Amino acid sequence: EKEKEKDEVDIDFSQQIFQEVLQSCFIVLQFHKTNYLVVESILLFLETSTTFKNTKTESAALVEEKIKLISEVMNKHQQYPFIQNSGSNILRNVSVLGHRSSFDSQILLPVVSALKTFPNDQNVQSNGLAVLWSLVTHKNTRQIVLDYDLITLALNAIISNPNSPIIHRMAIGAMRGACYENVDAQETLFKADGISVITKGFKAHITQPQVVLESVSIFYFLSKNSRYRPLLREALICNTLMEVLRLHPRNEGIQNWALSTLWNCSVDSEGSKDVDAAGIEGIISSMESYPSNYEIQEDCIQILSNLCFYKLGVSKMKSGGVVKLTLNAMRSHEKLRDRGKILIQMINRESNCVTM
């Protein structure tokens, strides 16, 4: 017990010393913020330490003072990518730890400037986009990020770094946050030929689960608007989503987003034709693999119902055991009984079988 108490005292003392060192770093940084070597060394230390791990106990004003200082030194040393990278990474850590309300437009300015100045620096791009992604999902800082034309910054990052899955993921995540229930951001993406840029990059990283998850989710938001569906069809998005279902059969999140997008795409005759042409085997497989997932079962039933309405894919549904799968879904999910019954009736009618 005495040894344990001694260890706890040592840990507390070490943490106290460490916090004092951190505070000293900020004091030195304040007095030598124009000295590149001092700034570089201190930012490297702050970046690799648990600088802001304990800031939840600090006042918002103190946290804001610290991140303003980081932003200021980034602004004073705009020509050095190392400082921009370290500074952006520190700011990202602060935002992820829940200090988003401490950010304002001026603090973000050097982050945005670094994204524009170093388009091919993957570290600067990934950390800068991560800051914007974190802030655009928060109601208090969302508009600040949007005012910096987030969509253009993210698209340029993808175009400049086509072979980087991490940048693609960060850029898509930031744009997804911007486009969520935001018609203006969606329209900006549409006018900038963003669908084409995203789709091209998405196909290049289709085996990367995290990239796929973010990409498919933004396709879902766009597919809800009939204005954007023709462009998604031109990009052969239904074929790509079927490939996604095949490549990521065990990723429930990806399955859910992909099927929800296919549901939106299949609401009209042209979209249903695309889904049918891409092959409905993936949809049937998802229905079979996730019987307890209500959302997936609902998506599958709705997609197949849309196809039946346009007299498409009925023979494949019959031979693929969709009637049995639908009955199982109806037993497991009471809310699906009416929709499931309609689907079964449509399959039986179109295949000239006896209606239930």
Side-chain angles (χ1 to χ4, degrees), residues 100-101 134-144 146:
R100 298 179 183 89
S101 58
S134 175
L135 297 179
V136 79
T137 58
H138 193 268
K139 64 179 181 179
N140 293 335
T141 50
R142 180 181 177 85
Q143 192 55 51
I144 295 172
L146 293 176

Side-chain angles (χ1 to χ4, degrees), residues 2-16:
K2 289 183 178 179
E3 286 296 324
K4 184 178 179 181
E5 290 179 4
K6 181 178 180 298
D7 289 342
E8 290 177 351
V9 170
D10 288 343
I11 291 172
D12 290 340
F13 181 70
S14 297
Q15 289 178 342
Q16 180 182 348

Side-chain angles (χ1 to χ4, degrees), residues 92-109:
R92 178 187 68 169
N93 293 335
V94 178
S95 66
V96 169
L97 286 170
H99 301 291
R100 298 179 183 89
S101 58
S102 298
F103 284 78
D104 59 27
S105 182
Q106 283 302 114
I107 290 173
L108 274 185
L109 182 58

Side-chain angles (χ1 to χ4, degrees), residues 110-324:
V111 176
V112 174
S113 297
L115 287 171
K116 294 178 178 179
T117 305
F118 303 103
N120 300 114
D121 189 308
Q122 295 189 9
N123 292 323
V124 171
Q125 291 295 312
S126 60
N127 284 325
L129 289 169
V131 175
L132 301 185
W133 182 5
S134 175
L135 297 179
V136 79
T137 58
H138 193 268
K139 64 179 181 179
N140 293 335
T141 50
R142 180 181 177 85
Q143 192 55 51
I144 295 172
V145 179
L146 293 176
D147 288 343
Y148 276 117
D149 196 6
L150 169 61
I151 300 296
T152 300
L153 291 171
L155 289 175
N156 287 341
I158 294 175
I159 294 169
S160 300
N161 302 274
N163 298 319
S164 172
I166 184 64
I167 289 179
H168 193 90
R169 182 195 169 209
M170 294 297 173
I172 293 295
M175 287 190 285
R176 179 171 66 87
C179 289
Y180 177 70
E181 295 184 351
N182 188 326
V183 177
D184 291 338
Q186 293 176 13
E187 192 66 14
T188 300
L189 182 65
F190 172 74
K191 291 179 178 179
D193 196 27
I195 294 176
S196 175
V197 174
I198 294 171
T199 305
K200 184 177 179 181
F202 168 55
K203 290 178 180 178
H205 305 293
I206 199 169
T207 60
Q208 303 285 330
Q210 292 179 320
V211 175
V212 170
L213 186 62
E214 297 302 333
S215 300
V216 174
S217 63
I218 199 170
F219 290 144
Y220 168 73
F221 292 131
L222 295 172
S223 68
K224 293 172 70 175
N225 191 323
S226 59
R227 174 175 168 79
Y228 309 133
R229 286 183 205 135
L231 281 180
L232 291 173
R233 285 203 296 270
E234 287 179 18
L236 300 176
I237 194 63
C238 292
N239 294 66
T240 305
L241 291 174
M242 291 300 182
E243 181 74 357
V244 163
L245 293 176
R246 185 184 66 81
L247 290 173
H248 303 277
R250 297 180 182 177
N251 192 310
E252 201 164 348
I254 289 176
Q255 294 280 316
N256 203 346
W257 281 111
L259 290 165
S260 296
T261 307
L262 286 168
W263 176 2
N264 290 337
C265 290
S266 68
V267 296
D268 55 42
S269 61
E270 293 302 316
S272 288
K273 289 177 183 177
D274 287 346
V275 174
D276 181 50
I280 64 172
E281 291 79 8
I283 299 169
I284 297 173
S285 178
S286 297
M287 198 175 185
E288 188 174 13
S289 300
Y290 295 95
S292 62
N293 187 307
Y294 171 80
E295 288 79 11
I296 286 180
Q297 294 298 312
E298 180 187 32
D299 289 341
C300 291
I301 288 174
Q302 287 297 134
I303 295 167
L304 298 174
S305 296
N306 288 341
L307 266 63
C308 275
F309 180 80
Y310 294 108
K311 298 178 171 45
L312 297 168
V314 178
S315 61
K316 293 179 183 177
M317 295 181 208
K318 195 69 178 178
S319 62
V322 169
V323 171
K324 181 179 179 181

